[in-house]
């Protein structure tokens, strides 16, 4: 289950989404589905082609992550209300460390990839700007439902079996900051480890 969850998170952070505001919503939703499926296939291809080389996986994860995901929005959301009290220097350092953390953690977790299948099964509008693309990760056990939230050509969240990865990260980061007197620097120190 942990591998499937990690695989799902990887796919979420590596899913492209390009939609014009002028497109018909049904067409825009179908395009979102096609891009998620395409990038899911690309992610699987990277994992299979790496032949267990962790450095290759890490470099490819970083490339795809920075190209296809709104990392600034993800990092800002994960910091939550503390973003407004962080200095510009803290924001810059935190965003850099957040990106590195995502690449490091998930490239290590995916080293055990073993042929799971990824299938897009639908989409729905979410508000005026977003789409949620529904998918399944199929492995040896029960399929895992994964919903991908997309906005303005970038992935901004993934919901695995009903649990938002962004909300989970936000809760963890808030806990770290709160335990340390509300100091954003404590989160930066935690991410530097």
């Amino acid at each position: 289950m942990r591998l499937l969850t990690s695989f799902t998170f990887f796919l979420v952070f590596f899913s492209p989404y390009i939609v014009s505001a002028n497109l018909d919503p049904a067409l825009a939703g179908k395009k979102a589905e096609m891009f998620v499926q395409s990038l899911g296939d690309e992610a699987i291809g990277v994992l299979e082609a790496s032949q267990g080389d962790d450095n290759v996986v890490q470099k490819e994860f970083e490339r795809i992550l920075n190209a296809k995901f709104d990392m600034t929005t993800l990092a800002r959301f994960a910091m939550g209300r503390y973003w407004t009290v962080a200095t510009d220097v803290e924001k810059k350092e935190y965003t850099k460390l957040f990106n590195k953390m995502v690449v490091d953690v998930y490239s290590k977790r995916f080293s055990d990839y073993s042929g799971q299948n990824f299938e897009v099964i639908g989409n729905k509008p979410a508000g005026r700007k977003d789409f949620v693309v529904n998918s399944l990760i199929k492995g040896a056990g029960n399929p895992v439902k994964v919903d991908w939230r997309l906005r303005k050509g970038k992935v901004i969240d993934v919901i695995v079996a009903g649990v938002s990865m962004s909300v989970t990260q936000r809760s963890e980061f808030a806990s770290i900051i709160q335990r340390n007197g509300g100091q954003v620097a404590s989160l930066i120190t935690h991410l530097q480890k």
Side-chain angles (χ1 to χ4, degrees), residues 157-181:
D157 194 14
V158 60
I159 301 98
V160 180
V163 178
S164 165
M165 302 305 268
S166 294
V167 170
T168 300
Q169 193 69 67
R170 183 178 190 152
S171 176
E172 180 185 335
F173 285 178
S175 178
I176 292 166
I177 294 170
Q178 289 167 0
R179 284 193 313 262
N180 292 284

Side-chain angles (χ1 to χ4, degrees), residues 84-145:
T84 60
V85 297
T87 66
D88 288 343
V89 171
E90 288 173 328
K91 289 175 185 176
K92 183 176 180 181
E93 181 66 11
Y94 159 76
T95 301
K96 179 181 83 173
L97 292 168
F98 178 84
N99 287 9
K100 183 179 182 319
M101 177 207 70
V102 171
V103 171
D104 289 348
V105 167
Y106 291 96
S107 62
K108 287 175 188 168
R109 286 188 183 171
F110 281 96
S111 61
D112 293 330
Y113 169 76
S114 60
Q116 291 85 355
N117 293 313
F118 173 72
E119 178 184 355
V120 170
I121 58 171
N123 76 82
K124 61 185 173 188
R128 294 187 325 189
K129 298 179 181 180
D130 299 357
F131 272 91
V132 173
V133 174
N134 313 111
S135 67
L136 293 173
I137 305 293
K138 298 177 181 179
N142 291 330
V144 176
K145 184 175 186 242

Side-chain angles (χ1 to χ4, degrees), residues 73-89:
T73 296
L74 290 165
R76 185 175 178 163
F77 182 84
M79 187 183 276
R81 65 187 173 106
Y82 296 102
W83 183 264
T84 60
V85 297
T87 66
D88 288 343
V89 171

